[in-house]
Amino acid sequence: DGGITQSPKYLFRKEGQNVTLSCEQNLNHDAMYWYRQDPGQGLRLIYYSQIVNDFQKGDIAEGYSVSREKKESFPLTVTSAQKNPTAFYLCASRGKGTSGKGQFFGPGTRLTVL
Amino acid sequence: GEDVEQSLFLSVREGDSSVINCTYTDSSSTYLYWYKQEPGAGLQLLTYIFSNMDMKQDQRLTVLLNKKDKHLSLRIADTQTGDSAIYFCAELSNDYKLSFGAGTTVTVRA
């Protein structure tokens, strides 16, 4: 079955540590996205990538970094520079010419920084 | 960026219709979407409407679009307990980015 996987589902880290969230898709989608969700707020775009080896900052990129070395994978690193990293992180992907199908979302990773 | 606005909460009796409203600001949006999020899960696309349409119906779901007022609504007929969730509206901009509302938490009571 095609889909997006995010791992782990829950992640706990100590303050000051970098942490990398995994996102993998086998939908053959070109575009991938990372969002952050906080209670009572909509999704805010962190980074996105329209094609392999290229990515752009979203609305809240500070304190985060990404890479897109493979079409299937778009890992997100939450660095120690991110002031308030505890949140629910969602990865999404979109196929070319499929705007009517919107973006396809993974199950999310809940990051808690202690 | 564009602001998409939704009311935060809706309580509805089982079997009644639910109506969730949304306003958006980007008149050039081509597609508008409704997503559903159950607790602790990702977002699931429920339905979408293309900007040249006024209405779209899909089983229990009806989407109405008023482009003049930039108003989008989602009606769920015969609301069931499984419809309890957070519902997000989103608009697609020209660079294929989505802007989301804050989400409407729908609670279905018996």
Side-chain angles (χ1 to χ4, degrees):
Chain A
D1 290 333
I4 297 182
T5 56
Q6 292 186 243
S7 60
K9 188 168 175 64
Y10 299 96
L11 191 54
F12 297 88
R13 278 295 181 268
K14 290 183 179 179
E15 197 171 337
Q17 289 182 333
N18 290 0
V19 60
T20 297
L21 281 60
S22 166
C23 177
E24 304 277 332
Q25 54 98 0
N26 60 3
L27 300 164
N28 199 33
H29 285 175
D30 289 306
M32 296 186 75
Y33 306 81
W34 273 107
Y35 294 91
R36 171 184 171 132
Q37 184 179 19
D38 294 284
Q41 296 191 38
L43 277 66
R44 293 183 290 168
L45 183 64
I46 305 172
Y47 268 98
Y48 64 105
S49 168
Q50 305 273 32
I51 198 167
V52 175
N53 291 322
D54 189 39
F55 49 83
Q56 287 81 39
K57 293 181 179 180
D59 301 319
I60 55 164
E62 186 175 348
Y64 300 97
S65 66
V66 293
S67 62
R68 186 84 189 278
E69 296 175 3
K70 298 187 300 181
K71 189 175 186 178
E72 302 80 19
S73 179
F74 191 40
L76 173 75
T77 297
V78 183
T79 75
S80 56
Q82 168 49 233
K83 291 184 173 57
N84 185 18
T86 294
F88 190 50
Y89 290 88
L90 287 158
C91 180
S93 69
R94 178 182 60 82
K96 198 178 293 185
T98 60
S99 292
K101 297 183 182 178
Q103 293 176 12
F104 191 87
F105 282 81
T109 292
R110 185 166 298 281
L111 173 64
T112 303
V113 175
L114 307 170
Chain B
E2 297 79 18
D3 287 334
V4 178
E5 295 189 353
Q6 307 176 232
S7 53
L8 292 182
F9 301 99
L10 176 67
S11 178
V12 61
R13 192 184 302 273
E14 189 175 8
D16 287 352
S17 292
S18 308
V19 179
I20 307 168
N21 294 301
C22 171
T23 57
Y24 62 98
T25 59
D26 188 354
S27 58
S28 65
S29 291
T30 52
Y31 285 89
L32 294 133
Y33 305 91
W34 284 103
Y35 283 89
K36 176 183 180 182
Q37 184 181 37
E38 297 186 3
L43 273 65
Q44 170 197 355
L45 179 66
L46 279 180
T47 187
Y48 68 93
I49 189 165
F50 190 56
S51 56
N52 68 352
M53 299 168 67
D54 298 324
M55 185 184 86
K56 180 179 179 181
Q57 187 156 1
D58 183 2
Q59 299 183 332
R60 292 192 297 121
L61 305 178
T62 302
V63 179
L64 296 178
L65 175 61
N66 181 330
K67 286 193 71 176
K68 174 175 168 289
D69 296 335
K70 298 191 184 72
H71 184 265
L72 182 73
S73 68
L74 174 69
R75 177 177 179 268
I76 306 172
D78 186 26
T79 310
Q80 304 297 308
T81 54
D83 295 324
S84 292
I86 304 176
Y87 292 81
F88 292 93
C89 67
E91 59 177 345
L92 182 69
S93 59
N94 286 338
D95 56 358
Y96 296 104
K97 292 196 292 184
L98 286 180
S99 295
F100 288 85
T104 300
T105 299
V106 173
T107 303
V108 181
R109 59 188 193 277

